[in-house]
Every structure is written in structure tokens, then in C-alpha cells.
Amino acid sequence: RDIIFFLKSIFNYHVSIGTVFNVINDAAEMAIPINNSYELGAVRESASDEVFHLNKPLLVTVDIPSRFCPLLVHANNRDGTTWGVNLLDLHARGYAPETSIIDGANGIINGYEEALPDTKLRHDHFHFIMALTDCAQFLKNRMDSAKTAAMELFSRSINAKNEEKEKKYTDEFVLAHEEFKRLENIYTTFKTLSSWLQHDVLQLAGKSPAERSILYDFILSEMSSMASNHPHRIDAIVKAMKKRRDALLDITHTLNKKFSVLAVKYKVSIQTIWNICELARHSFDSPAYVEKVDKLASFLGSTYDVIEDEVLLILESTHRCSSMVENFNSRLRPYLDNRKFISPKILALIQFYLNHKPFLRSKHERLVNKSPAEAFTGKPHKPWLEMLGFNCCLNRVAA
């Protein structure tokens, strides 16, 4: 009906709702075989996620470098079997990525382990960092509430009308102040530990894997002690840290392998490469960067700039978050009406459109004015309307 209204308002042209349905249905029929025609052996790094529509999951997989979506399906549930079946369908077309970034959902994990056991699963850092942030905010809210309660009791003790009430409010204030200081200590300690975890352990640019592992275990130990006395929300963080330790630290071992190749190539120690990596934490014009870079540059000579460029390129091309699948989800959501069911055909048409619609802007020059399909295959394709069988007369007239 919006299409009918648009055509009537802009072009003064009337079509029936049946015609609109038939046009869209025919286009979806054309889109499905095109979606299934792509060979997926080129996918090396992917990200998988679940989007919910009318309380039913949509299973999504995206190729990270190109943003191409090989999987977008409606499912009745999101267990390991459902994921496994869909991943096997992709595998029949060559899908066998080296790495897949996931958010830790058990269904995705089980699906990959059953269907693609050779694919390394890397747990997304964003969702874990968000859990840390939410926990810190919860603890801050408790601290602020305790502070407000203590200030209220202090005000009452000052304005008490008799000594009996003054003593009563003063005693209550002392207890409330002690509770506030206790909660303040919990919040500041957790905030410091979570900041170390986010910026010194999980950040790409940083220290070597051995040093990060030691710091991770120290933070885990300290948070475990806090959780034993103050289990509110902290206990869930500790359980996640224990369960996902190897998956969260996997990114550092991946970097270490890539840096080892650089160390051999330029005949320097692996620790030297990590020292250059750590410098990426600082902006190029900061005093900290200038101070540290002088020592490394004097040691490495003319090869320093070359090594630094390769280190920065490795950091840029190594992914620790499922940002690309979240980006795809944000482009998908405007087409998901919470009042209407979406059929598999229409979902296939949306998948086709998002894969073949060019990016008008991007911080990556290689993606500007290219569709995800063009970035994925390295080959141009016809305008998406022509791929669906329509005659784009306006394009030809303009040409």
C-alpha cells in the first residue's frame, strides 16, 4: 500500500495491490537462484549472529572484508542442529572459513562444532565489553543510591527537633555512610579491573600474549574474590571470564602468529614486533609515542617505518568484534515490520538487494561505489534491477 501511495503521489500512476504483490513475488523468484549461485570458498573470515523478528530468529552470516551475506534465513529455533543444517548448506557451496566471530550463543557454537569443526571460533569482544559496562553502571547506581540515602539521613540528623531523633538519625547515618563507602570501594575496584581488561588485555594494540594472560588471570582472581562477597552481577562476569578465557584471548595468539612471520622476515625478535604493536595505542603526535619510537627507531634504523606499516596493516585486518554482522543487521532491520510476517521469498529478495546495492560511502576506498557482491567476487555486476529482469531505460538514456 505504501508503494501504491508512492506511485500515485509522485507519478500519478495507479496500480492494484495484486500487481504490486506479483511484481515483488516475481522479483523474489529471480533473486533466490542468484543468491544461491555464489561460490563461497573465498570466505576466510566471517561473523555469525541471530536477529529476532516476531520472536523468531533470523540466522545471519556475513563475510567480514566484503560485507557480503551468504546466509539469511528464517528459523523456528536457534539450536545447534538448526545452525548446523544451514552451515552444511553453505559448506556445499564452499563455505569453510578459517575464523568465524560469534557472540557466544550456544546454538552457534554447537552448530559450527558439528558442521565445520575446522573453523576457529573467536568470541566477540564487543558483547563482553558491553556486559562489563552494564555491570559497572549497575554498581555505580547502587553506590549513588546509597550516597543519596546517607545524605538524606545526615540532613535529618541536622534538622532533628529533639536529641532522641538526632541520635536516631545520626546512628542510621553512620551505618548508611559505611554502606556507601563499601559500595564505593566495590564500584571503583570493579571499574579499574574492567578498564584494565578492556584496554590492556582485549585491545588489539598492546603487550604480548604471555603478559596479557598473566594480567587476565590476575583480574579474574580479583573479580572472583569480589564475587564471593558481593555476588550482584559480578558473579556472572566471573563465570563468563572462566568459560571464555581461551576464546577471548585467541586474538592475541592470532596476532602472535602473524608477528612471528614479520620477525623472521626482518630478522628481529618477536618482542620487538610486539613493542611496535604497543605503540599503536598512542597517537603519532603524542609525547608517549615520540619518546618510545625514538628508542625503537634508533635500534631498527631505516626498517622501522616499514615494519610499523606492516604491523598497523595486520592490526587493521585482524578482527575481534562482530561489527560487520551487526552492521548488516542495522541495514536489515528497516525491512522487518514488527506487525507483519516476512516470508522466506521476501527475505531472499532483501538479502539479494543488500548484497547488490552499492555502498555510497565508506571509510574503506575499496568499498566505495561497490556492492558487497562486487567486493566479494572482485568482479562487477549489472545494476540490481537488471539482474532481476527489469529494463533500466533511464540508465541507458542518461548514458
Side-chain angles (χ1 to χ4, degrees), residues 86-112:
N86 284 282
L87 290 174
L88 285 175
D89 289 341
L90 294 184
H91 185 61
R93 293 162 50 199
Y95 179 80
E98 295 174 358
T99 304
S100 185
I101 301 179
I102 61 175
D103 62 4
N106 290 330
I108 303 179
I109 295 174
N110 295 334
Y112 269 98

Side-chain angles (χ1 to χ4, degrees), residues 86-142:
N86 284 282
L87 290 174
L88 285 175
D89 289 341
L90 294 184
H91 185 61
R93 293 162 50 199
Y95 179 80
E98 295 174 358
T99 304
S100 185
I101 301 179
I102 61 175
D103 62 4
N106 290 330
I108 303 179
I109 295 174
N110 295 334
Y112 269 98
E113 289 178 347
E114 293 172 10
L116 299 170
D118 293 332
T119 296
K120 179 184 289 186
L121 299 181
R122 182 177 299 157
H123 285 222
D124 169 59
H125 285 186
F126 169 76
H127 289 85
F128 181 70
I129 291 172
M130 187 168 62
L132 289 175
T133 304
D134 289 345
C135 183
Q137 185 62 50
F138 170 78
L139 296 174
K140 183 179 185 300
N141 290 342
R142 292 185 70 212

Side-chain angles (χ1 to χ4, degrees), residues 2-285:
D2 285 339
I3 294 171
I4 294 172
F5 179 74
F6 173 81
L7 291 175
K8 181 66 176 177
S9 301
I10 305 300
F11 299 104
N12 193 28
Y13 184 79
H14 176 73
V15 294
S16 69
I17 192 168
T19 299
V20 173
F21 173 83
N22 290 336
V23 169
I24 294 176
N25 188 69
D26 291 344
E29 293 282 3
M30 294 286 291
I32 293 172
I34 297 175
N35 289 342
N36 296 333
S37 67
Y38 286 95
E39 205 281 328
L40 304 177
V43 179
R44 307 311 327 142
E45 286 190 299
S46 71
S48 298
D49 197 12
E50 299 153 348
V51 183
F52 286 88
H53 178 240
L54 300 180
N55 295 324
K56 293 290 185 180
L58 301 177
L59 312 186
V60 184
T61 294
V62 172
D63 174 60
I64 292 176
S66 67
R67 285 59 166 165
F68 180 81
C69 172
L71 177 66
L72 176 60
V73 296
H74 232 306
N76 290 323
N77 52 58
R78 55 193 183 112
D79 58 10
T81 301
T82 305
W83 266 104
V85 168
N86 284 282
L87 290 174
L88 285 175
D89 289 341
L90 294 184
H91 185 61
R93 293 162 50 199
Y95 179 80
E98 295 174 358
T99 304
S100 185
I101 301 179
I102 61 175
D103 62 4
N106 290 330
I108 303 179
I109 295 174
N110 295 334
Y112 269 98
E113 289 178 347
E114 293 172 10
L116 299 170
D118 293 332
T119 296
K120 179 184 289 186
L121 299 181
R122 182 177 299 157
H123 285 222
D124 169 59
H125 285 186
F126 169 76
H127 289 85
F128 181 70
I129 291 172
M130 187 168 62
L132 289 175
T133 304
D134 289 345
C135 183
Q137 185 62 50
F138 170 78
L139 296 174
K140 183 179 185 300
N141 290 342
R142 292 185 70 212
M143 177 192 72
D144 290 342
S145 297
K147 181 179 180 180
T148 301
M151 292 177 65
E152 176 67 21
L153 288 170
F154 180 73
S155 176
R156 289 184 180 183
S157 67
I158 293 176
N159 299 319
K161 295 181 179 180
N162 54 59
E163 292 184 0
E164 182 181 354
K165 287 189 175 182
E166 180 182 357
K167 183 178 184 307
K168 174 179 177 294
Y169 289 137
T170 300
D171 292 342
E172 291 179 355
F173 165 72
V174 170
L175 295 177
H177 185 262
E178 289 177 355
E179 176 65 7
F180 161 67
K181 297 302 292 183
R182 184 182 74 86
L183 294 175
E184 182 184 39
N185 180 63
I186 294 172
Y187 166 69
T188 54
T189 302
F190 182 86
K191 184 72 173 175
T192 300
L193 293 172
S194 61
S195 179
W196 287 349
L197 185 59
Q198 178 178 349
H199 299 290
D200 295 323
V201 177
L202 301 181
Q203 191 89 324
L204 279 179
K207 297 185 179 296
S208 66
E211 293 174 282
R212 296 193 199 210
S213 295
I214 293 172
L215 182 55
Y216 186 98
D217 291 337
F218 170 76
I219 294 171
L220 176 57
S221 174
E222 292 298 311
M223 284 193 176
S224 297
S225 298
M226 293 178 65
S228 62
N229 298 319
H230 320 290
H232 298 284
R233 299 276 183 102
I234 303 176
D235 188 53
I237 298 294
V238 170
K239 288 179 180 178
M241 287 183 66
K242 289 179 179 178
K243 182 180 179 181
R244 302 170 60 184
R245 181 185 185 279
D246 293 340
L248 288 170
L249 292 175
D250 172 73
I251 190 68
T252 63
H253 299 296
T254 300
L255 287 176
N256 202 53
K257 290 179 181 178
K258 296 180 179 181
F259 289 166
S260 297
V261 175
L262 271 189
V264 173
K265 179 179 178 180
Y266 292 102
K267 299 179 180 179
V268 297
S269 69
I270 184 68
Q271 186 57 48
T272 300
I273 303 295
W274 275 106
N275 290 341
I276 296 174
C277 172
E278 189 175 2
L279 280 179
R281 294 168 61 92
H282 309 289
S283 60
F284 292 141
D285 57 352

